[in-house]
Amino acid sequence: DAGITQSPRHKVTETGTPVTLRCHQTENHRYMYWYRQDPGHGLRLIHYSYGVKDTDKGEVSDGYSVSRSKTEDFLLTLESATSSQTSVYFCAIRGTGTSGSVKEQFFGPGTRLTVL
Amino acid sequence: TQLLEQSPQFLSIQEGENLTVYCNSSSVFSSLQWYRQEPGEGPVLLVTVVTGGEVKKLKRLTFQFGDARKDSSLHITAAQPGDTGLYLCAGAMTSGTYKYIFGTGTRLKVLA
């Protein structure tokens, strides 16, 4: 258990409204990631963070922004939600797991977002 | 754009059969992870392979990293219904950005 929680776990919203998803970690990991998962596409990186206030874009960043004002929280904001952003969103951290010094990704439980 | 192609996409087999899932890319990875995901949950890490040619075993699951670190395979021996799930591979990019590329997944169903 990498101590990752996501909130909310489920959300239904309307097109054009802003939405913020929260990822919280308890183990002081430097790297945090936001992915979306859609059928036929696997997991695609939206944004990631390599420290407080340090973020960078992933392959599907359009329409999304992120913020990281403290180590434990990484926020994903949909500035004006569209139906194409209906998806399951996963947060991940990069930490040391079973492979000794090799860094690995560990995932939160996900947020299912529906944009009507 | 780097791609990680995973095959097959779907697999339905009988309990006790063997199967292999493949993950292939033209890119070199510094490491490769395999995950299993259950419906409504996040991916759970099964194993990480790091060295070219490395083989790791996890009970009935055998993972191999290609010699050139561009491909990997997951072999399940005597599949059980509990192995049912979505299997994902993810390659860690060598560019120093600490980003990962995911395959599209293999949905496995093992019938009792």
Side-chain angles (χ1 to χ4, degrees):
Chain A
D1 184 359
I4 307 166
T5 57
Q6 292 185 231
S7 58
R9 294 292 315 277
H10 302 271
K11 186 168 182 67
V12 179
T13 191
E14 293 190 350
T15 298
T17 60
V19 176
T20 296
L21 308 183
R22 179 183 183 233
C23 178
H24 179 79
Q25 55 131 336
T26 60
E27 299 183 0
N28 208 35
H29 295 290
R30 180 181 172 193
Y31 285 82
M32 299 183 75
Y33 304 78
W34 276 108
Y35 292 89
R36 60 179 288 173
Q37 186 174 35
D38 305 287
H41 290 278
L43 283 152
R44 293 181 291 174
L45 181 65
I46 305 171
H47 282 278
Y48 72 105
S49 170
Y50 46 96
V52 172
K53 297 186 180 179
D54 291 322
T55 64
D56 203 354
K57 295 179 180 180
E59 61 178 307
V60 290
S61 59
D62 287 349
Y64 301 95
S65 62
V66 289
S67 65
R68 192 165 178 204
S69 59
K70 45 186 179 176
T71 300
E72 57 266 36
D73 289 325
F74 192 29
L75 304 180
L76 176 71
T77 297
L78 288 64
E79 292 138 9
S80 178
T82 67
S83 58
S84 64
Q85 294 177 310
T86 292
S87 186
V88 182
Y89 291 85
F90 287 100
C91 173
I93 59 92
R94 181 173 175 268
T96 303
T98 60
S99 298
S101 61
V102 176
K103 298 293 188 180
E104 300 160 322
Q105 281 199 314
F106 298 90
F107 286 82
T111 294
R112 181 171 294 277
L113 175 67
T114 302
V115 183
L116 301 175
Chain B
T1 303
Q2 292 183 281
L3 293 173
L4 193 51
E5 296 182 1
Q6 197 170 334
S7 62
Q9 277 190 285
F10 301 96
L11 198 51
S12 181
I13 61 172
Q14 293 293 130
E15 182 177 1
E17 292 184 359
N18 301 333
L19 67 117
T20 302
V21 177
Y22 299 93
C23 216
N24 294 293
S25 177
S26 58
S27 303
V28 177
F29 298 108
S30 59
S31 68
L32 192 137
Q33 285 85 44
W34 284 93
Y35 296 84
R36 182 167 67 206
Q37 185 178 19
E38 305 287 346
E41 299 179 6
V44 175
L45 181 67
L46 295 174
V47 78
T48 296
V49 286
V50 180
T51 307
E54 182 178 5
V55 177
K56 280 192 174 178
K57 292 192 175 184
L58 189 65
K59 297 183 181 178
R60 294 175 292 98
L61 279 61
T62 301
F63 304 86
Q64 185 162 8
F65 204 12
D67 291 341
R69 293 186 289 129
K70 294 182 179 181
D71 54 83
S72 182
S73 64
L74 157 61
H75 182 78
I76 301 179
T77 303
Q80 304 293 313
D83 296 326
T84 293
L86 178 67
Y87 289 82
L88 296 161
C89 59
M93 295 169 64
T94 57
S95 59
T97 59
Y98 303 113
K99 293 197 288 189
Y100 299 78
I101 296 175
F102 279 80
T104 51
T106 294
R107 193 165 296 280
L108 171 65
K109 187 169 185 177
V110 183
L111 305 169

